[in-house]
Amino acid sequence: MRKIIAAGNWKMNGSREMTQTLLSELKTGLQAGTNADVLVFPAFGYLQQAVELVKGSVIQVGAQNLSTAEKGAFTGEMSGAMLKDLGCTHVLVGHSERRAMNHETSEVVAEKFAMAQKTGLVPVLCVGETLSEREAGNTKVVVAAQLQAVLDHCGVDSLADSVLAYEPVWAIGTGKTATPEQAQEVHAFLRNTLSALDAKIADSLRILYGGSVKGANASALFAMQDVDGGLVGGASLDSGQFLEICAAA
Ligand code: 13P
């Protein structure tokens, strides 16, 4: 049985006040217990505040990005060691917004994945196709190539200490969620691809779905055999919505 993960990617949203309010509402809402592993990914500037606030709760804190480098003259970057030092447990790598806007190639993403693990963070590897790639029938080719870059760079064993997230770009922030069947098809494909290399790792790997997950659609998505939780953007900024998603676990 794979435990469901409810992960909130806050993206470039928030303030000290919002971090305080949102996390205290989540803590209160989760006090009675939850079946989910709960993760939040605030922007860099609020990580330390978030880590302090979640103490004594089930919530864990991750970052949205890390540098490929260990340290040194990389102005504006954050290293995995710094994130670990701040108390982060997880880090997103390969989010489609970074692939598109920051020109991160799958090879760079694989380097970040390796660096996350080297510094003791759990990488959450995001893969997903654009609308035109889907319409051209290339969804599986695209996600397989994104996964393959990590396999080439880090080996299949590295997937044992990671989380995978399938986030179709056309479903992100659009209100257009993949149907549970569409999500399941890609999740099963990803798991089968890994299964051919290592069945045990494939079976225990948690694969999250991301793209307009809300309180109202989380249960149907999480009910699919290979959907092991959600990576939630917009709805994770609303404690009521995010708690509903946690409850769907
Ligand atoms: P939305 O839930 O806002 O569609 O964002 C999904 C996402 O990109 C999470 O990383």
Side-chain angles (χ1 to χ4, degrees), residues 9 11 92 95 97 167 171-174 210-213 231-235:
N9 175 9
K11 307 193 179 182
L92 301 181
H95 192 282
E97 286 153 16
E167 298 207 304
I172 295 178
T174 58
S212 300
V213 177
L231 181 53
V232 187

Side-chain angles (χ1 to χ4, degrees), residues 21-33 57 59 243:
T21 307
L22 184 51
L23 288 177
S24 79
E25 287 170 2
L26 292 182
K27 273 172 79 167
T28 306
L30 294 168
Q31 232 156 29
S57 80
I59 305 168
L243 287 168

Side-chain angles (χ1 to χ4, degrees), residues 37 48 56 70 72 80 86-87 105 127 131 144 150 152 168 186 188 194 206 213 220 232 236-237 243:
D37 282 340
Q48 183 162 23
E70 238 162 79
L86 285 174
T105 62
V127 299
L131 184 59
V150 169
D152 288 346
V186 181
L194 289 171
R206 287 179 287 179
V213 177
V232 187
S236 73
L237 301 171
L243 287 168

Side-chain angles (χ1 to χ4, degrees), residues 139-164:
T139 297
K140 289 176 184 171
V141 176
V142 170
V143 299
Q146 290 169 337
L147 178 60
Q148 191 60 45
V150 169
L151 290 170
D152 288 346
H153 192 77
C154 309
V156 67
D157 288 352
S158 69
L159 271 296
D161 298 310
S162 75
V163 176
L164 194 54

